[in-house]
């Protein structure tokens, strides 16, 4: 049997990709500008909205240029140390550091340098390493997937801020759930993050999805478009719908049921569990209301405009609710209304 072109796992580079060209270009062009207008971007969005895939696309793109060095760091570890270790483990860079007489022997990174005092502070070490990269026209991109306000992350961000202030060529691309990124931005010592540009994950293009389905699933134009609309442009659903329809060979009831269950088990359960009680109450009012009009939803929720608005705004920022049509609210995630009905 031929291999299913769609994937059910949260892979970094799915076989079928609906391009996010303008977002990739925005980050790449901003980082590559001389001088760069920004050295950090924050990617936020709900689980399954394609943050990791986008981050990977940008990294891969920059990695194809000689002058860029790309390092991914784990926000649960000592990030400064991991970064220094990673850089000095690359042969071509280790040579630069050695010729700049950067003595890292105290860190156990194994760089032999004679005739200079060993550096004992990791921030000093990174400062020297970046200065050496800069003098060779190189730039460093650090990526962090699923960032949260962990002690390691705060320590790293604070050091990053100082390196940027010294005009060193270090760039940061982070992904995270809206709440986690917001908490990090709210840290008093990390004000630069507050001003950092945020890329909120938008739905994928429905027309492009329809074209993809027509090509891979053998659906006619109308069916492909109907299926594409059912995904609401939610990337995880694009893969899941594609996968099960490909599997069953047609756009039938059974395939749709399998999709529902898969979305529930691998995305919605987690998304739902991370909502506050108030968010859940508003979500269930959206699911139950006779129309998507805010007035109808508020009536079901029994909330005044002032009570309702903060919840709506938060659900929109989290990527759960679509508030783009004035006076209306609906779910941004396909079949989520049914999930909410079943769980509230
Ligand atoms: N641009 C895209 N085109 C097609 N599929 C995508 C795209 N972005 C993400 N996906 C798919 O959606 C799912 C979730 O993507 P991922 O980047 O892991 O989301 P997140 O990191 O926001 O939770 C994965 O199965 C991935 O293959
Ligand atoms: Mg991810």
């Amino acid at each position: 049997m031929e291999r299913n072109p769609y994937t059910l796992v949260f892979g970094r580079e799915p076989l079928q990709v609906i391009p996010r060209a303008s977002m990739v270009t925005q980050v790449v062009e901003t980082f590559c500008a001389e001088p760069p207008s920004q050295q950090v971007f924050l990617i936020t969005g709900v689980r399954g909205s394609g943050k990791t895939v986008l981050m990977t696309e940008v990294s891969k793109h920059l990695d194809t240029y000689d002058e860029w060095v790309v390092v991914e760091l784990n926000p649960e570890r000592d990030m400064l140390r991991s970064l220094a270790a990673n850089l000095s483990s690359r042969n071509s860079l280790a040579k630069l550091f050695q010729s700049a007489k950067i003595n890292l022997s105290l860190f156990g990174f194994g760089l032999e340098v004679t005739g200079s005092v060993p550096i004992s502070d990791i921030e000093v070490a990174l400062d020297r390493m970046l200065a050496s990269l800069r003098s060779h026209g190189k730039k460093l991109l650090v990526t962090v997937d699923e960032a949260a306000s962990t002690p390691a992350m705060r320590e790293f961000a604070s050091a990053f801020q100082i390196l940027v202030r010294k005009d060193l060529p270090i760039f940061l691309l982070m992904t995270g759930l809206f709440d986690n990124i917001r908490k990090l931005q709210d840290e008093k010592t990390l004000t630069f993050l507050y001003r950092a540009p945020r890329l909120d994950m938008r739905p994928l293009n429905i027309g492009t999805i329809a074209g993809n389905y027509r090509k891979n699933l053998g659906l006619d134009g109308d069916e492909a478009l109907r299926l594409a609309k059912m995904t609401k442009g939610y990337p995880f659903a694009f893969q899941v719908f594609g996968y099960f329809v490909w599997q069953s060979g047609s756009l039938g009831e059974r395939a749709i049921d399998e999709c529902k269950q898969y979305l529930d088990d691998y995305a919605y359960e987690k998304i739902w569990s991370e909502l506050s009680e108030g968010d859940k109450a508003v979500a269930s009012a959206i699911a139950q209301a006779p129309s998507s009009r805010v007035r109808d939803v508020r009536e079901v929720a029994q909330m005044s405009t002032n009570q309702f608005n903060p919840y709506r705004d938060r659900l929109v920022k989290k990527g759960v609710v679509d508030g783009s049509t004035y006076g209306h609210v609906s779910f941004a995630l396909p079949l989520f209304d049914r999930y909410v009905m079943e769980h509230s």
Side-chain angles (χ1 to χ4, degrees):
M1 198 160 105
E2 229 183 303
R3 192 163 153 248
N4 197 317
Y6 299 97
T7 176
L8 292 178
V9 296
F10 280 40
R12 290 178 167 242
E13 297 171 75
L15 212 53
Q16 298 299 320
V17 181
I18 305 298
R20 299 225 191 233
S22 66
M23 280 177 140
V24 174
T25 308
Q26 188 186 348
V27 179
V28 168
E29 286 187 352
T30 305
F31 283 177
C32 291
E34 292 290 351
S37 51
Q38 295 289 350
Q39 288 179 238
V40 52
F41 270 100
L42 308 172
I43 302 174
T44 67
V46 72
R47 193 172 300 279
S49 61
K51 301 180 296 293
T52 303
V53 168
L54 176 65
M55 187 188 90
T56 308
E57 259 189 89
V58 173
S59 320
K60 294 211 80 169
H61 191 112
L62 288 177
D63 219 8
T64 60
Y65 300 124
D66 274 348
E67 67 263 36
W68 281 92
V69 178
V70 180
V71 177
E72 174 159 12
L73 297 180
N74 179 340
E76 304 295 336
R77 296 254 202 89
D78 181 338
M79 298 170 75
L80 296 173
R81 221 190 138 80
S82 305
L83 178 57
N86 185 305
L87 293 175
S88 47
S89 73
R90 301 179 186 220
N91 278 337
S92 58
L93 301 185
K95 285 198 193 91
L96 302 185
F97 302 148
Q98 261 168 331
S99 62
K101 298 235 178 291
I102 303 175
N103 188 335
L104 302 171
S105 57
L106 292 181
F107 298 104
F109 299 152
L111 281 188
E112 289 287 332
V113 174
T114 46
S116 69
V117 183
I119 300 170
S120 60
D121 183 309
I122 195 73
E123 294 193 35
V124 173
L126 283 169
D127 191 315
R128 296 276 313 276
M129 290 161 111
L130 276 156
S132 158
L133 292 181
R134 179 175 58 193
S135 67
H136 290 85
K138 290 199 176 294
K139 299 173 181 187
L140 171 65
L141 171 67
V142 172
T143 62
V144 183
D145 200 19
E146 293 288 333
S149 188
T150 59
M153 191 63 237
R154 292 196 297 269
E155 181 193 49
F156 177 81
S158 150
F160 173 85
Q161 173 170 237
I162 292 167
L163 295 169
V164 168
R165 233 180 263 143
K166 292 181 176 166
D167 269 332
L168 289 164
I170 184 168
F171 296 76
L172 178 60
L173 183 60
M174 290 198 288
T175 81
L177 297 176
F178 179 79
D179 281 350
N180 291 340
I181 293 289
R182 179 37 78 75
K183 268 195 210 105
L184 197 56
Q185 288 184 299
D186 281 344
E187 287 293 331
K188 281 189 196 64
T189 51
L190 303 178
T191 46
F192 79 105
L193 277 183
Y194 205 81
R195 294 184 304 266
R198 249 192 17 231
L199 294 171
D200 297 325
M201 297 305 284
R202 316 281 325 153
L204 299 172
N205 185 285
I206 299 295
T208 314
I209 292 180
N212 180 290
Y213 282 162
R214 207 173 47 193
K215 194 178 89 215
N216 289 310
L217 300 174
L219 301 176
D220 68 33
D222 285 350
E223 280 181 324
L225 186 59
R226 189 158 69 87
L227 187 60
K229 283 183 177 163
M230 279 177 70
T231 70
K232 295 196 174 191
Y234 175 50
F236 182 50
F238 162 70
Q239 299 289 346
V240 170
F241 281 90
Y243 187 93
F244 285 112
V245 172
W246 190 91
Q247 190 97 326
S248 79
S250 71
L251 180 49
E253 195 79 4
R254 220 195 63 222
I256 302 300
D257 278 344
E258 280 175 315
C259 294
K260 279 182 194 164
Q261 196 174 332
Y262 209 86
L263 290 171
D264 289 359
D265 291 351
Y266 291 91
Y268 296 167
E269 207 171 281
K270 194 85 180 126
I271 292 171
W272 184 247
S273 75
E274 285 165 351
L275 296 180
S276 70
E277 288 311 308
D279 290 341
K280 286 182 184 173
V282 168
S284 73
I286 293 174
Q288 286 167 42
S291 84
S292 64
R293 280 170 39 192
V294 168
R295 207 189 316 142
D296 289 339
V297 176
R298 279 203 297 104
E299 202 170 293
V300 175
Q302 298 187 301
M303 284 183 172
S304 69
T305 301
N306 284 342
Q307 287 170 316
F308 180 78
N309 283 347
Y311 287 110
R312 187 205 46 200
D313 293 349
R314 240 200 358 243
L315 288 166
V316 168
K317 283 182 179 135
K318 284 182 178 171
V320 173
V321 160
D322 173 6
S324 60
T325 309
Y326 182 79
H328 289 259
V329 279
S330 58
F331 290 117
L333 307 170
L335 305 167
F336 194 66
D337 45 355
R338 173 204 47 87
Y339 182 91
V340 172
M341 289 282 222
E342 290 168 8
H343 291 85
S344 55

